[in-house]
Amino acid sequence: MSSKKNGEEASDFLTKLVKEDVENSVYSRPVATRFPPEPNGYLHIGSAYAIHINHSIARKFNGTFNLRFDDTNPLKEDAKYVEAIREDMEWLGIKPPVYFGSDYSEQYYEAAVKLIRKGKAYVCDLTPEQMTEYRGTLTEPGKDSPFRNRSAQENLDLFAQMKTGNFPSSSKVLRAKIDMSAPNINLRDPVLYRIIHAEHYRTGNEWCIYPMYDFAHPIQDSIEGITHSLCSAEFIDHRSLYDWVLSELEVVGPPKQREFGRLNISGFVTSKRYLRELVERGYVDGWDDPRLPTLKGLRRRGVTPEGIQNFLEEIGVFRQNSMVDSAMLEHFIRQDLKEKAISVMAVLEPLKVIITNYPDLETEMLELKNNENNETLGSREVPFSRELYIEKEDFMEEPVAGFLRLSLGVEVRLKGAYFLKCEHVVKDPLTGKVKELYCTYDPETKSGSGFNARKVKSTIHWVSAKHGIPAQIHLYDKLLKEEAVILESDNDWDKIVNPDSRIEMKQAILEPYLQDASFGVTYQFIRHGYFCLDTKHSSASEWVFNRSVSLKDSWKKTLTPVK
């Protein structure tokens, strides 16, 4: 991803921090950053934000950037997520060197042994409930574990037995010996290692003890030569422990942990836990549902990597957690597609039109531009015939004030074709709804002919009934209701999920150009927005198109801090 913004180098607080370190020669090695996902889920727009920050800073200083899987918990991780994350990053245009935390198991163990020998770690037998009780609160100090003063030799023996599998899962842990009265609760003898008897997706049953993230992460960064460990603001209270681990292990030129605010987008759910609830309870169509902010969902929706990149460039780097209006993301998606997409005609709610004075068996090929904003995309031929479909909303039998489209006795232009006048309306005898329109056309008014004897106030799109392709259309809106409030737990999704977040239109008719539509290509449906073939539900017998974004742009440049 590019690190440029409006032609200039972005200047944010993280960039300034790294620049100062470079100018002061704090490190004898190049700037190095990383993205360290746990392979237990799929990347989302917030992940792309973190990737962008780390990758762009590394590029800005001619440094290095790598992908490291933090896979030190066998209960949650899976190889399928590893492949999905690598695929998503390549889709974003980034293919960094790849490392695995599970490859450093020996180094974690040796580091733990070093801390034990220094008297800085001990094996504790307290249960999780007891440990919580001993930990204290924000206003009250904790108290020492009764196992805190075990000798170094006893701790070494017990830790070795933990490693060889002599104890059941969760029966013992290795804890750092720091300060049970520390104001920062993260320093009150945090757990460094736990026992988990479970098969790891890469190392099998080779290990039954696994390091905690706060212990493994600084060691991983040190091994890989990371200079700046850039992470989200939720880890700011963990920085002291990060520094303590590196200091006690006597790491030379230790990396610096620095934090940035998390990205939240209105109407989207970005918590991995909540996303899993929505998927597993069937509120969405899998992890790649186009209503989700997962990169797979955005990709299925027809969003391009460039659209995401431009959005991330614009928002910059937050100091604190912030909420961005989803309309801002849609703006950059729309701007990216505006000059790329082939513009075609699609009728989502068809109303039949019969042109009584047009030759019954004739088909005329009309030339239409593929993109009004990009001449290089050329043009295509579109069939015109006696029977057409127009949008139901483009006809009103008794027009209200301001309605300028087709009505009885009123002319409109058919896009790229002729003037059309409605002469007669046929209604369904049972429902009274308009069923067909009988119209006439003026053959002298063909587009491009130079005809200017009279004007019309509106142009509407159409599709030849004889040549049109049936399709199903999915229109997407925000997954959550405007007033939705997400709780820490026990969310009643039935009440906060927007029931109209996906609307299926099953009677659409598309111009025949789309018979050869390709997966991964986004098209502009005139007046309706940008659409792409659904990779999950389209088949040889039925085209299904997802709307990427509407044509309407409502973005205003506003950011809202999140407390």
Side-chain angles (χ1 to χ4, degrees):
M1 289 182 170
S2 170
S3 61
K4 299 289 184 180
K5 182 177 179 181
N6 298 326
E8 301 293 334
E9 287 287 347
S11 181
D12 57 77
F13 72 99
L14 287 180
T15 299
K16 290 177 181 177
L17 179 151
V18 176
K19 184 178 180 182
E20 288 175 4
D21 287 345
V22 171
E23 291 175 345
N24 294 326
S25 301
V26 171
Y27 294 102
S28 59
R29 58 188 185 274
V31 168
T33 62
R34 81 293 167 266
F35 175 62
E38 188 176 3
N40 64 355
Y42 297 92
L43 300 186
H44 53 69
I45 189 69
S47 310
Y49 168 66
I51 292 167
H52 176 76
I53 290 173
N54 279 277
H55 182 250
S56 61
I57 284 181
R59 286 191 60 183
K60 204 174 298 183
F61 295 96
N62 297 315
T64 62
F65 167 81
N66 66 40
L67 166 63
R68 179 210 307 141
F69 289 100
D70 174 37
D71 56 350
T72 55
N73 185 347
L75 298 178
K76 296 182 178 181
E77 295 144 2
D78 195 296
K80 69 179 181 181
Y81 297 122
V82 170
E83 293 309 309
I85 290 169
R86 294 179 73 161
E87 180 184 277
D88 281 346
M89 288 191 67
E90 286 188 31
W91 178 70
L92 287 173
I94 302 174
K95 194 174 181 180
V98 179
Y99 300 92
F100 293 86
S102 54
D103 287 340
Y104 308 143
S105 297
E106 286 290 350
Q107 288 99 317
Y108 305 141
Y109 185 77
E110 290 169 5
V113 168
K114 182 173 184 177
L115 293 181
I116 293 172
R117 285 178 174 153
K118 289 180 67 174
K120 296 294 184 177
Y122 63 96
V123 174
C124 182
D125 297 0
L126 291 178
T127 65
E129 294 76 19
Q130 290 171 326
M131 203 173 300
T132 299
E133 180 185 345
Y134 275 57
R135 195 181 192 194
T137 66
L138 292 173
T139 56
E140 297 179 355
K143 57 182 180 180
D144 291 352
S145 164
F147 307 101
R148 197 174 195 264
N149 294 318
R150 279 172 165 160
S151 68
Q153 189 57 54
E154 183 180 4
N155 285 317
L156 287 170
D157 291 342
L158 288 170
F159 192 51
Q161 292 181 62
M162 288 170 61
K163 179 177 181 289
T164 55
N166 289 5
F167 305 116
S169 295
S170 304
S171 60
K172 295 181 187 296
V173 295
L174 181 71
R175 298 176 67 179
K177 186 185 288 188
I178 307 180
D179 182 0
M180 289 303 295
S181 62
N184 184 344
I185 290 182
N186 292 290
L187 296 179
R188 294 182 187 176
D189 291 10
V191 174
L192 304 180
Y193 257 98
R194 73 282 209 206
I195 303 170
I196 303 176
H197 289 282
E199 185 172 346
H200 190 277
Y201 79 102
R202 291 187 76 240
T203 59
N205 294 305
E206 183 179 351
W207 292 85
C208 64
I209 55 171
Y210 292 90
M212 300 297 290
Y213 177 82
D214 281 341
F215 183 56
H217 190 211
I219 296 173
Q220 293 166 351
D221 286 345
S222 175
I223 291 170
E224 294 168 10
I226 301 303
T227 57
H228 297 84
S229 185
L230 309 177
C231 55
S232 56
E234 65 195 274
F235 291 102
I236 192 165
D237 289 337
H238 297 247
R239 191 202 293 181
S240 297
L241 180 53
Y242 182 97
D243 293 341
W244 182 90
V245 170
L246 295 172
S247 175
E248 292 299 337
L249 293 177
E250 302 168 34
V251 172
V252 178
K256 292 181 178 180
Q257 176 181 302
R258 293 297 182 265
E259 305 80 19
F260 51 84
R262 291 186 63 175
L263 168 65
N264 298 280
I265 301 180
S266 64
F268 282 103
V269 177
T270 53
S271 161
K272 194 182 294 184
R273 176 162 61 95
Y274 297 146
L275 288 171
R276 183 173 288 108
E277 285 183 20
L278 290 166
V279 171
E280 292 178 351
R281 297 184 190 179
Y283 287 98
V284 292
D285 182 26
W287 286 95
D288 61 351
D289 188 294
R291 291 166 292 181
L292 296 183
T294 58
L295 296 189
K296 293 197 176 302
L298 292 169
R299 188 175 183 179
R300 184 176 158 198
R301 189 167 177 164
V303 175
T304 65
E306 294 79 13
I308 293 175
Q309 174 187 331
N310 294 337
F311 166 70
L312 296 174
E313 287 285 355
E314 178 64 31
I315 64 175
V317 181
F318 305 137
R319 283 186 177 272
Q320 58 185 321
N321 296 343
S322 298
M323 180 71 73
V324 176
D325 190 338
S326 59
M328 181 178 179
L329 173 60
E330 292 180 353
H331 166 80
F332 285 98
I333 294 169
R334 189 180 294 110
Q335 289 298 109
D336 178 63
L337 294 171
K338 188 174 181 179
E339 295 189 3
K340 291 181 179 179
I342 300 295
S343 180
V344 297
M345 295 190 289
V347 176
L348 305 193
E349 294 187 276
L351 174 61
K352 189 77 165 286
V353 168
I354 299 169
I355 307 175
T356 58
N357 63 332
Y358 194 87
D360 190 20
L361 300 178
E362 185 172 328
T363 296
E364 184 179 358
M365 301 305 294
L366 304 176
E367 186 176 10
L368 271 71
K369 290 182 179 180
N370 282 334
N371 187 310
E372 296 288 345
N373 300 302
N374 186 351
E375 294 286 342
T376 65
L377 292 179
S379 60
R380 68 191 185 285
E381 289 191 327
V382 181
F384 183 86
S385 60
R386 185 172 187 267
E387 295 187 0
L388 310 173
Y389 286 113
I390 66 169
E391 294 287 356
K392 285 183 180 178
E393 66 176 19
D394 284 343
F395 174 78
M396 189 173 288
E397 188 176 9
E398 298 179 5
V400 298
F403 183 82
L404 301 178
R405 282 165 273 175
L406 191 62
S407 56
L408 277 169
V410 173
E411 275 189 320
V412 298
R413 174 175 288 285
L414 294 174
K415 182 172 179 61
Y418 302 94
F419 284 12
L420 183 80
K421 181 189 288 187
C422 181
E423 310 285 358
H424 177 62
V425 177
V426 176
K427 297 182 179 180
D428 187 303
L430 296 178
T431 65
K433 293 183 178 179
V434 175
K435 183 179 178 181
E436 293 176 340
L437 304 179
Y438 282 81
C439 303
T440 57
Y441 87 115
D442 184 345
E444 302 299 320
T445 60
K446 186 175 182 179
S447 290
S449 66
F451 177 85
N452 60 7
R454 62 185 185 277
K455 303 292 184 181
V456 292
K457 294 183 178 180
S458 182
T459 298
I460 63 175
H461 64 280
W462 51 274
V463 173
S464 168
K466 183 164 58 175
H467 303 90
I469 303 166
Q472 183 177 155
I473 305 296
H474 292 169
L475 304 179
Y476 292 99
D477 200 351
K478 293 178 182 177
L479 180 61
L480 303 183
K481 295 177 180 177
E482 290 287 346
E483 68 278 10
V485 176
I486 299 180
L487 306 175
E488 289 294 324
S489 60
D490 300 324
N491 283 288
D492 188 345
W493 297 111
D494 285 328
K495 292 184 178 179
I496 61 178
V497 168
N498 175 12
D500 298 320
S501 60
R502 183 176 78 173
I503 296 174
E504 298 182 4
M505 309 189 78
K506 299 183 178 182
Q507 306 299 321
I509 304 294
L510 317 179
E511 69 166 83
Y513 177 86
L514 289 169
Q515 180 66 55
D516 298 319
S518 300
F519 289 107
V521 177
T522 303
Y523 305 88
Q524 185 194 96
F525 288 5
I526 292 172
R527 281 181 40 210
H528 294 303
Y530 295 93
F531 292 76
C532 68
L533 272 176
D534 189 330
T535 53
K536 180 176 281 189
H537 297 304
S538 288
S539 66
S541 60
E542 182 179 38
W543 275 157
V544 178
F545 280 84
N546 295 326
R547 185 163 68 182
S548 309
V549 65
S550 67
L551 295 177
K552 184 179 179 181
D553 197 333
S554 60
W555 172 55
K556 294 181 180 179
K557 190 172 181 179
T558 57
L559 301 177
T560 305
V562 177
K563 296 182 179 179

